[in-house]
Amino acid sequence: MGLCLMMLLLSALPVMAKHTNFKVSIYVRAYEVQKMKDTEWLESSWKTISSQLDVDKIYLETHRDLLIVDDATIEKAKKFFLKQGLEVAGGITYTINERNDFETFCYSDPEHRKMVKHIAEVTAKHFDEFLLDDFFFTSCKSEVEIAAKGDRTWTEYRLDLMNDAAKNLVIGPAKTVNPKVKVIIKYPNWYDHFQGLGFNLADGPMLFDGIWTGTETRDPASAQHLQNYLSYNIIRYFENLRPGYNGGGWVDAGGIQMSMDRYAEQLHLTAIAKARDVMLFAYNQLLDYPLRDEYRAPWQGTGTSWDYDQMRAPFKNGNKTVTPTTMARIADVVLRQADHLVGKLGNPIGIQSYKPFHSLGEDFLQNYLGMIGLPMDIHPSFAKDQEVILLTEQAAGDADIMKKIEQQLRSGHDVVITSGLLKAIPEKIAQVCELRCSDLKAIVNDFGRYGKSNRDILIPQVRYQTNDSWEVISAGRPLTGGVSGFPILHKAKYANAYLYVLTVPDDMGGLYDYPSAALTEIRRVMSKGLDFYLDAPAKVSLFLYDNHTLIVENFNDEPVDVKLVSTKDENKRLTSLDDGRVIDGALEDYWVGWNRNQAMKIPVSLKPHSYMAFKY
């Protein structure tokens, strides 16, 4: 066989995946791609990472912060990683100066437009696939943009502008250079605010060949204040935008200073959301973040889901013994464990929440609800076949929302609205029940028979007409022996179903301070149509799948005892997906108003920052 033919056949061999249920990828910034001009640095840096982490695919960025990597270096790096048996794709970050508040291009500026187009063409010349990192939006308010905007709102203007940029500056030019190229957009984690800067979730997923999802939740106390659950929830939401086209989730090292577990949780949640790929951002972080003592949390050593001591111990990689040095080892251990689990899970299911495109209101609330044990499933359309549907203030963005609510109720299916939606459209809600969310506030800490909170909680006052609708959960300060109380969960009968109002505290984090019994009643009401709901404190999440599997995960710093409450008589036991251990349930009483009922409850004990997975 001739040498050329042999080389051709070898190049045609499929790349062998190192993971079964998803790919593991690394994104390389333009800064590090440029350094790959140095063969010694390229080889030594890859040796450090690859000795600790199995990688399936790598993305080589061509531009960031006006740095365009030269053609020779791009080709050198590309050939090197192909030789390592990896899939190789490209990447672009459209920033002028990331350190200057993520300074973006001004897409009405002729010079900027030329540059954006040129970067896309250069990238398409080298790769048959490339993706756009977080920053394909615009925050520019230059004189050029102010003049171009005219009388439109910034949201209206930027949505149109970035649609034009996508089609005429990136996708079109790239496909002219390389008709085979796939252009993918990675959307970041702040989805509720996208429209204000030109990210268009109505059109973008259809314009691009695929999308990616930012699942970085980092430290909830930092700038974005994102809740852990978003790492799961956003994958499911983006999958619903255009099913089958959500390529994967994207995690960085943010939050690792809280402990190794915070980083591990983001990777794990991305995987169990059934992401097709898990992207590690970035090559430099996998090199530069050493395995520090401070990443070891106090609960380590107690049998939690991820063992930092084990991660730091020497291990065998083929015939070699490797002593881990960087966070690359953490990613490998967590994703190996997740890969083993994900293959046993079906398709995720949950409580559908309707979010119209470009809608605002009660920002990111569904992630707080996920953290109190409500499995969320955000959709851009109103489902007609759900036993319960959740509507937050965002639903006010649909002019026909009351028609849809009434149809849902008259078909015998419940609707749960938030106090925010009630406040936004009281006249419309009055078609079903004359309720009001007033401007008055109340401080509460006593939930009566549902228990007491350890903190005072500030809530809006929901008002109603006596005997026309009813409080399910009430709270006061105090409620028992006090003189006033206010609805936390309220119900109004309409036709063959109920309209419920869930009171959301002014600080959504106050939901975590609701007593566990109150949370359990909220979960019971909202979980019709699901097989289980949680009897548990806050910061415990439930993940359900359509093949009779589930995961329950504890995000608290302390161990918790929880119960899985079955909504169906046949679900009486859980079998561990890890070791086959069986946990049997028992019937227990619970009260709805003055009526005593019974439910099958299955007890589960969870370590801090740990999960358990079961079939039933």
Side-chain angles (χ1 to χ4, degrees), residues 302-322:
T302 64
T304 53
S305 289
W306 300 286
D307 189 331
Y308 191 44
D309 297 331
Q310 182 182 17
M311 293 176 184
R312 300 180 75 179
F315 68 99
K316 282 284 187 181
N317 186 347
N319 296 323
K320 296 181 180 179
T321 299
V322 178

Side-chain angles (χ1 to χ4, degrees), residues 53-88:
L53 170 67
D54 278 336
V55 183
D56 300 293
K57 189 170 183 177
I58 200 157
Y59 289 76
L60 302 173
E61 188 176 78
T62 60
H63 170 272
R64 178 180 295 249
D65 295 350
L66 303 185
L67 167 63
I68 300 178
V69 182
D70 65 273
D71 290 344
T73 301
I74 293 171
E75 283 300 314
K76 177 179 180 177
K78 178 181 171 183
K79 290 175 182 176
F80 174 82
F81 288 111
L82 285 171
K83 189 176 179 181
Q84 309 311 310
L86 274 63
E87 296 180 55
V88 182

Side-chain angles (χ1 to χ4, degrees), residues 106-109 112 139-148 154:
C106 301
Y107 288 88
S108 288
D109 186 308
H112 284 201
S139 57
C140 181
K141 291 185 178 178
S142 67
E143 290 294 338
V144 171
E145 300 291 0
I146 292 170
W154 282 106

Side-chain angles (χ1 to χ4, degrees), residues 256 259-261 289-297 300-301 304-313 324-327 329-330 333:
I256 198 170
S259 79
M260 171 277 297
D261 296 86
Y289 278 71
L291 298 175
R292 297 174 178 166
D293 290 343
E294 53 263 39
Y295 296 162
R296 188 184 192 278
Q300 283 292 312
T304 53
S305 289
W306 300 286
D307 189 331
Y308 191 44
D309 297 331
Q310 182 182 17
M311 293 176 184
R312 300 180 75 179
T325 56
T326 77
M327 62 178 280
R329 175 61 175 162
I330 301 174
V333 172

Side-chain angles (χ1 to χ4, degrees), residues 22-299:
F22 48 78
K23 293 177 184 177
V24 173
S25 299
I26 298 176
Y27 192 85
V28 190
R29 302 181 308 166
Y31 299 121
E32 285 68 50
V33 176
Q34 188 66 48
K35 289 175 69 174
M36 290 174 179
K37 180 180 293 187
D38 180 343
T39 302
E40 183 179 350
W41 187 86
L42 170 57
E43 292 178 348
S44 64
S45 63
W46 177 244
K47 182 179 179 182
T48 297
I49 292 173
S50 62
S51 66
Q52 301 176 81
L53 170 67
D54 278 336
V55 183
D56 300 293
K57 189 170 183 177
I58 200 157
Y59 289 76
L60 302 173
E61 188 176 78
T62 60
H63 170 272
R64 178 180 295 249
D65 295 350
L66 303 185
L67 167 63
I68 300 178
V69 182
D70 65 273
D71 290 344
T73 301
I74 293 171
E75 283 300 314
K76 177 179 180 177
K78 178 181 171 183
K79 290 175 182 176
F80 174 82
F81 288 111
L82 285 171
K83 189 176 179 181
Q84 309 311 310
L86 274 63
E87 296 180 55
V88 182
I92 299 173
T93 294
Y94 277 116
T95 49
I96 289 177
N97 185 352
E98 192 175 354
R99 295 170 182 83
N100 183 28
D101 295 331
F102 304 125
E103 183 181 353
T104 66
F105 284 84
C106 301
Y107 288 88
S108 288
D109 186 308
E111 292 304 313
H112 284 201
R113 291 176 68 87
K114 287 180 186 177
M115 193 178 307
V116 169
K117 181 172 178 284
H118 172 67
I119 293 165
E121 292 169 337
V122 166
T123 308
K125 181 173 66 174
H126 292 286
F127 301 101
D128 290 338
E129 174 190 339
F130 68 84
L131 61 78
L132 311 183
D133 189 10
D134 281 6
F135 302 101
F136 191 60
F137 64 84
T138 183
S139 57
C140 181
K141 291 185 178 178
S142 67
E143 290 294 338
V144 171
E145 300 291 0
I146 292 170
K149 180 181 82 71
D151 294 333
R152 289 174 287 179
T153 67
W154 282 106
T155 291
E156 292 168 341
Y157 168 63
R158 287 170 169 171
L159 286 172
D160 290 341
L161 177 65
M162 296 311 295
N163 268 0
D164 169 73
K167 289 184 281 190
N168 298 315
L169 302 182
V170 179
I171 300 171
K175 290 183 183 288
T176 299
V177 170
N178 179 0
K180 297 185 298 182
V181 73
K182 292 182 178 180
V183 184
I184 299 164
I185 186 167
K186 183 247 175 172
Y187 290 119
N189 48 22
W190 39 280
Y191 61 86
D192 266 339
H193 303 152
F194 277 178
Q195 59 276 359
L197 290 97
F199 275 134
N200 192 329
L201 291 185
D203 298 337
M206 306 302 170
L207 287 174
F208 288 91
D209 296 303
I211 66 174
W212 271 68
T213 307
T215 55
E216 321 97 313
T217 46
R218 309 185 184 102
D219 181 353
S222 65
Q224 293 175 301
H225 311 295
L226 301 175
Q227 305 305 295
N228 311 42
Y229 189 82
L230 182 142
S231 293
Y232 170 91
N233 194 31
I234 192 172
I235 287 278
R236 302 314 313 157
Y237 173 39
F238 286 4
E239 178 68 17
N240 292 331
L241 297 175
R242 189 184 182 191
Y245 285 80
N246 187 6
W250 179 301
V251 178
D252 63 26
I256 198 170
Q257 77 282 354
M258 297 178 68
S259 79
M260 171 277 297
D261 296 86
R262 183 75 280 275
Y263 179 56
E265 285 166 345
Q266 295 172 75
L267 294 170
H268 163 79
L269 290 168
T270 301
I272 67 168
K274 303 306 286 282
R276 297 171 178 87
D277 202 324
V278 180
M279 180 82 83
L280 304 174
F281 184 94
Y283 196 86
N284 62 305
Q285 293 182 353
L286 296 169
L287 286 172
D288 298 340
Y289 278 71
L291 298 175
R292 297 174 178 166
D293 290 343
E294 53 263 39
Y295 296 162
R296 188 184 192 278
W299 48 84

Side-chain angles (χ1 to χ4, degrees), residues 232 236 271-275 341-349 543-551 577 614:
Y232 170 91
R236 302 314 313 157
I272 67 168
K274 303 306 286 282
L341 171 61
V342 167
K344 302 175 183 178
L345 305 174
N347 297 312
I349 54 177
F543 307 92
L544 298 171
Y545 300 85
D546 65 0
N547 68 336
H548 287 199
T549 58
L550 63 84
I551 299 171
L577 291 178
F614 300 97

